[in-house]
Amino acid sequence: MEPRHDQYEGVADSYDQTFKLLPYREHIEAFSLYRALGELSGLSVLDLACGTGIFTRVIRKWGAARVVGVDLSEDMVRVARSHEAASSLGIQYAVGDAVSLGGLGQFDCAVAIYLLGYMRSREELVQTGRGIARNLKPGGRFLTYFVNPGLSRSPGYYRKYGIDFFVPENVKDGELMHFTLTLGDTVTPKLSNTYWRLETVGSAFEEAGFTQVRWLQPELSEQGRARYGSAFWEDYLHHLPGIFLDCRKAE
């Protein structure tokens, strides 16, 4: 298999310093992930597409006993490891491709924020699912967040939130769309993502050995509503750009 291209090479430091500060990261994504995961005390968690470890670290702070982060980008993992060196939480990080995931252990839960959009075919979705399943205990849980196919196609719709999507009007399942991130005073070059229908993702993970497939919509924290006001969030909540897949490895 041809090595997957690292789109984030050279932007890991600015990503780490500014992207985590975008309001939806804390008040929608992290808040919703926390509610969806529930009690983590004593559990082991594998964080795929961990980036610079933004969610990896909070998962450990939420009570997980063992946390391992994996990302394709050496630059992202470098920054994640620098955080661990500065303030150790006992987290392990590894560079790796989720499509060809090796054996890292038997985890109670696997999490993947924005991983599935980097899969380029349904076959890769299935391969990724099988790799995740190999690293989960029987009945282990997989929770992933990815781009909602029902997102707004209007140019600039999400710009005030720090992200811009560029979705072809007649985009089809498995085709590329693009996005940019506003990182401080700079905007990244266009990054690519694959548009997936929910039915495609759900069936791919069922084929990979997962059951109890369900979809969870993200929620806004009351702190976020109070800090920014309800009007600020109206566009985001009206066309949610992300959605959770929650499923279990077959017993």
Side-chain angles (χ1 to χ4, degrees):
M1 179 183 297
E2 186 176 332
R4 195 177 303 276
H5 174 61
D6 174 11
Q7 300 185 66
Y8 294 91
E9 185 67 32
V11 302
D13 291 291
S14 58
Y15 178 100
D16 183 68
Q17 293 163 13
T18 59
F19 192 39
K20 65 186 176 184
L21 302 177
L22 295 176
Y24 67 85
R25 296 238 84 182
E26 175 183 359
H27 296 295
I28 292 183
E29 292 178 355
F31 173 73
S32 300
L33 179 65
Y34 176 77
R35 286 174 61 88
L37 282 172
E39 180 58 53
L40 290 175
S41 296
L43 299 184
S44 55
V45 180
L46 175 62
D47 183 16
L48 297 167
C50 69
T52 60
I54 294 170
F55 287 110
T56 325
R57 292 190 294 277
V58 296
I59 287 169
R60 180 73 174 93
K61 291 174 181 177
W62 290 340
R66 180 191 177 213
V67 184
V68 175
V70 179
D71 199 277
L72 174 68
S73 170
E74 292 185 9
D75 206 25
M76 291 287 198
V77 171
R78 171 187 61 80
V79 175
R81 286 172 173 163
S82 72
H83 284 291
E84 179 65 18
S87 180
S88 178
L89 294 172
I91 298 171
Q92 297 172 274
Y93 291 100
V95 176
D97 188 346
V99 177
S100 53
L101 192 64
L104 298 171
Q106 290 288 284
F107 294 83
D108 295 293
C109 179
V111 170
I113 306 300
Y114 293 121
L115 169 67
L116 302 188
Y118 301 111
M119 304 299 104
R120 294 297 181 245
S121 66
R122 186 182 182 280
E123 179 185 1
E124 286 193 353
L125 287 173
V126 176
Q127 282 183 260
T128 299
R130 287 174 175 159
I132 293 168
R134 282 194 297 271
N135 284 277
L136 286 175
K137 298 175 182 178
R141 187 181 185 194
F142 177 52
L143 185 65
T144 186
Y145 189 70
F146 66 104
V147 175
N148 182 4
L151 83 167
S152 172
R153 314 292 177 83
S154 300
Y157 186 86
Y158 300 102
R159 188 168 300 152
K160 68 180 178 181
Y161 305 109
I163 188 167
D164 259 332
F165 288 100
F166 305 89
V167 187
E169 184 176 348
N170 298 312
V171 65
K172 295 181 177 61
D173 196 38
E175 292 184 344
L176 285 182
M177 57 183 181
H178 298 87
F179 66 98
T180 59
L181 303 172
T182 300
L183 303 177
D185 296 328
T186 66
V187 177
T188 65
K190 283 187 179 180
L191 304 167
S192 63
N193 217 248
T194 305
Y195 177 89
W196 292 117
R197 294 186 303 118
L198 301 187
E199 295 85 354
T200 302
V201 173
S203 68
F205 275 83
E206 286 174 343
E207 184 176 333
F210 287 87
T211 63
Q212 302 179 43
V213 173
R214 62 181 183 140
W215 304 102
L216 305 176
Q217 289 197 340
E219 304 173 69
L220 171 65
S221 72
E222 285 306 313
Q223 292 90 339
R225 190 183 303 277
R227 180 175 178 182
Y228 294 93
S230 295
F232 173 79
W233 297 105
E234 283 180 359
D235 290 337
Y236 196 100
L237 297 175
H238 185 63
H239 288 290
L240 285 165
I243 192 165
F244 286 98
L245 165 69
D246 185 10
C247 52
R248 296 270 179 180
K249 177 182 174 179
E251 294 280 356

